[in-house]
Amino acid sequence: MSDPTIVVHNVVSYTEIDMKDHEMLNLKTVAAKVEGSRYNPKRFPAVIIRKSKPKGTGLVFKSGKIIIIGAQAENDSEILARKVIKDLSHVFGKTFLMKSFRITNIVASAKFKHPVDIGRIAEDQVGVKDDNFPGLVYRVGTPIKSALIFSSGKVMLTGALSREACEEAYFKLHRALAKYFIKTEEPKD
């Protein structure tokens, strides 16, 4: 089995800035002074700050908690968090430090070399199939939470904490589902 091509689509991370007890950020001030930001407290309780290099979005809450979404790599997610914190430091004229940083979810895709008989997987009660959804939800456990498997052989991996976990999950799935692969014969010339 060759190495899979894992494509990371979204890295979600969490961080917070060091703030004094009971101190809160003025989100209206953040939205007014940070380029690429939006704030509508009636719809969502955080300032949304979009960044282009690396591409991603920071959700800044008044408590100083920050969620980073949309990064394409773990390192990019941390860079985005640092950029958002730097923006906050400029807005308030003081240096905020990152109190913690952790990846909370990675969504990635891969593809098996063969189509998959997801109907048989569901019949064997190995996965959950919904007639209104073209794929099958397969609970992996570790190193990822679950995978969405499509009959084409495409796999969406969710709940990973690292790219390596995605690769490990791919190989684990490949071994577990090999008996459900639909082998197609190569055309003979």
Side-chain angles (χ1 to χ4, degrees), residues 1-2 16 28 32 43 45 48 94 126 131-132 153 178 185 189:
M1 173 175 30
S2 63
E16 56 186 294
K28 286 182 182 178
R43 295 195 68 187
I48 300 167
K94 59 181 174 179
V126 178
D131 292 335
N132 296 320
E185 297 213 12
D189 294 332

Side-chain angles (χ1 to χ4, degrees), residues 50-65:
R50 298 193 190 286
K51 297 288 185 186
S52 58
K53 290 185 183 179
K55 187 177 180 188
T57 302
L59 308 174
V60 179
F61 295 85
K62 66 182 177 183
S63 64
K65 294 181 184 200

Side-chain angles (χ1 to χ4, degrees), residues 27-39:
L27 297 182
K28 286 182 182 178
T29 303
V30 173
K33 293 186 176 184
V34 176
E35 187 179 329
S37 65
R38 222 175 58 218
Y39 181 50

Side-chain angles (χ1 to χ4, degrees), residues 20-174:
K20 294 182 178 85
D21 291 337
H22 308 295
E23 184 180 15
M24 295 288 169
L25 295 174
N26 182 330
L27 297 182
K28 286 182 182 178
T29 303
V30 173
K33 293 186 176 184
V34 176
E35 187 179 329
S37 65
R38 222 175 58 218
Y39 181 50
N40 184 347
K42 291 179 183 171
R43 295 195 68 187
F44 190 65
V47 173
I48 300 167
I49 302 174
R50 298 193 190 286
K51 297 288 185 186
S52 58
K53 290 185 183 179
K55 187 177 180 188
T57 302
L59 308 174
V60 179
F61 295 85
K62 66 182 177 183
S63 64
K65 294 181 184 200
I66 302 168
I67 307 288
I68 302 295
I69 58 175
Q72 303 288 301
E74 296 149 277
N75 187 43
D76 288 351
S77 191
E78 186 170 359
I79 290 168
L80 283 162
R82 292 187 185 286
K83 284 185 169 191
V84 168
I85 291 169
K86 187 175 181 181
D87 286 344
L88 295 174
S89 294
H90 286 300
V91 167
F92 295 104
K94 59 181 174 179
T95 303
F96 289 114
L97 300 174
M98 191 183 306
K99 198 170 171 183
S100 63
F101 177 85
R102 70 177 188 271
I103 302 293
T104 59
N105 185 27
I106 294 177
V107 177
S109 65
K111 187 161 179 16
F112 295 130
K113 290 193 175 171
H114 301 284
V116 181
D117 188 345
I118 60 176
R120 271 189 46 225
I121 297 172
E123 286 172 7
D124 290 352
Q125 297 179 344
V126 178
V128 179
K129 175 83 177 93
D130 181 341
D131 292 335
N132 296 320
F133 182 67
L136 174 119
V137 178
Y138 188 88
R139 304 275 181 227
V140 179
T142 55
I144 65 170
K145 290 186 173 53
S146 63
L148 304 176
I149 302 167
F150 298 90
S151 60
S152 66
K154 185 169 183 173
V155 181
M156 295 300 297
L157 307 165
T158 64
L161 299 179
S162 69
R163 182 181 181 83
E164 292 77 21
C166 292
E167 291 172 3
E168 182 184 336
Y170 173 87
F171 290 118
K172 184 176 180 180
L173 282 167
H174 193 280

